[in-house]
Amino acid sequence: MPFPHSSIPKMGSFKGSSLSLGVFVVFAVSLVVGQTNFQPPPPMMQQQMPQQMPQSNPFNTNGRAIAPITYNNRPLTMGQRPTQERYPDLRNVYAPDYRRDPLLYSHGYYWGDRSPEARGGVTEMTNLQFQLPFYGGMYNYSLIATDGFIAFAPPPDGTSNSPVFPNPKYPKERDHPFIAPFYSKTAFTQRSRVFYRHISRGQVAKASATQDQLRQFHENDLMMEAALRDIRFGMIGAEDFLPLHGLLVTWSNVTFEGKAFDNDRLETDPVPENTFQALVVTDEVRTYAIFNYKEVSWTTHSGAYGDVHNGLGGNPARVGFNGGNGTGFWELHPFSKDTRLAQMDERSNVDFTGRYVFRIDEVIQPAGCVEGVYQGVAYASPSGGSMLGGELVNVTGPCFLKTSQIRCKFGQYETQGTYVNPVQAKCPTPTMFEAGWREFGVSVDGGRTYNFRGEFFVGEFDQAPSNKTSTQDGQSIQIIRFVFL
C-alpha cells in the first residue's frame, strides 16, 4: 500500500503526471580539493571523570515500572552506551572531565547558561541571534517553557492537562508552534532547574573577554562539532550540513505536577525525576533537532490521570513538533502519548542510547531507526534520480544489521543494498521505464516484506548523460549534463 503523500517531502517543481515543465539543464560539478580536518583541542587534562557506579532505582516494582537510569548495567539490544569516549578528540582543556556528561551536551551556569524561574508553567522569552527555520516558518525568538518544550508563540492558556495538536479550537484559540522533547506539566524541587543558552560557531572574543567567556566559546565550538558528527552519522542527506547557530535547553531533575515532596527529605524520600535536553542547530537554511534523555522516571502528571506517587499511567506526555496555526503536528512513535515513553532513555534512532535526531526545517524527518519499530517511513537521499539508474542513494527506515539482507524497491524494480551502519544503508537505482513519483521501499529480509515505504522521484531524459572533463585552476572538473523533459 503506498504511503500517504502528506508524510513524504515533495519535489514540487517536478511533480505532475504530464511533466510539462519545460527543459531543465542540471550540471553536476565535482571538484577534487583537499579537505580541511577539524583541529582537536590540546590534550585533555589528567584529571579523569570518576567511575559512575550502578544505582538501584527506588521506583521499580515487580515487573518494569519505569525506565532504569542511564548508568546501570542492563544489557542493551541496540545502541552504544554513553561513555566519555564518544568523541575522544573533542575534549575541553579548560575543564576537568567530571563537569561533562557522557550523553548530555555541557550545560549549567559554569558554561554560561541562563535559567527561567524554577517552577512549572513558566515561559521565558529569548531573542535569538539568528534566523531559525522550523516547520515551514522562520523565527528569530523563542519561548523556553519549563513544561518540557520550546515554543514560538505562547500556549493558549498555559499547558493543558491533556493537550491535542493541532489545537482543534484554532483559530478561536492560538495553536502555538513548538519543539517538544517532553510536553507535560512539571513541578520543581530544590534540585530542579531548566538551563538554556545560545550557541554560535567560531564566536570571536573581545579583547576584554574573561577566562570564563573564552572557556565557554571554546566549549560551544566543541559542542557544535560533536552535534555535526551526530547528525551526519544518523541523518541521510546531511553530508554537507555545517551548523552555525544553535539553542541548547536542558530540563534537569524535574518532577511532575501533583507530586507531594519535602525538599528537606529528598535524600531519604526521593521523588521521580526526569532529565532531558534539546539542542536545535541551523545554518539558517536547514535545521536539525537533537533530543537527549538521560533519565525518564515519570511519564505524566496527576492532572492527566497519572498516579500521584510515581507519575505513571494516565495520558503520557507528547514528544514531537507542532507547526502552529493549524498546519500540523508530527509526533515520535511509538513513544509519544504511550506508556513506552518511559523507555526513551533506553532507546535511540541514531545508535546512541538516549539520543534522537530529526530534521525540522520544512517537514519533519527522523533519523535512522528505533529498535522494536517494524513498520514506518523509508527515506532516500537524494530523493530522486534518473530513469537510467546506476546511482547510489543513501536509505534509512528500518534498523540494519551487518547480516541483514538489504533490498530496495523503486516502483516495481528491486536492487541489492549494502550495510553502512546500524541506521543507514546504500542502494543503487535500477534502470526504470516510468517517470514521476514512484513508491519506494526498504527491506531487511531479502525482499520478502517491505514494511518501510516512501516515495522516490524518477526523472525522464531525452538523452544519456554526457560526461565532460575539464580543468580549472589546476583542478580536475567533471561536468555531467542531464536534460529533464
Side-chain angles (χ1 to χ4, degrees), residues 153-171:
D157 52 1
T159 306
S160 61
N161 287 330
S162 300
V164 177
F165 304 110
N167 187 346
K169 297 181 181 179
Y170 178 81

Side-chain angles (χ1 to χ4, degrees), residues 392-461:
L392 273 179
V393 297
N394 298 303
V395 301
T396 189
C399 297
F400 301 107
L401 301 174
K402 292 183 179 179
T403 56
S404 296
Q405 298 177 311
I406 304 170
R407 293 189 69 82
C408 294
K409 191 172 185 179
F410 302 82
Q412 59 182 311
Y413 309 103
E414 296 187 2
T415 61
Q416 182 71 43
T418 56
Y419 172 91
V420 174
N421 61 42
V423 296
Q424 289 191 40
K426 287 183 181 292
C427 284
T429 59
T431 300
M432 293 170 277
F433 299 95
E434 303 91 7
W437 287 100
R438 292 290 175 261
E439 185 181 38
F440 166 71
V442 180
S443 171
V444 292
D445 58 9
R448 289 190 294 274
T449 60
Y450 284 91
N451 292 329
F452 289 81
R453 301 179 181 183
E455 286 189 324
F456 188 84
F457 183 80
V458 180
E460 185 175 346
F461 296 90

Side-chain angles (χ1 to χ4, degrees), residues 325-346:
N325 301 324
T327 56
F329 178 64
W330 187 97
E331 57 189 338
L332 179 61
H333 295 295
F335 306 110
S336 182
K337 294 191 307 181
D338 194 281
T339 56
R340 284 172 286 184
L341 182 63
Q343 302 175 17
M344 289 203 71
D345 59 352
E346 294 180 310

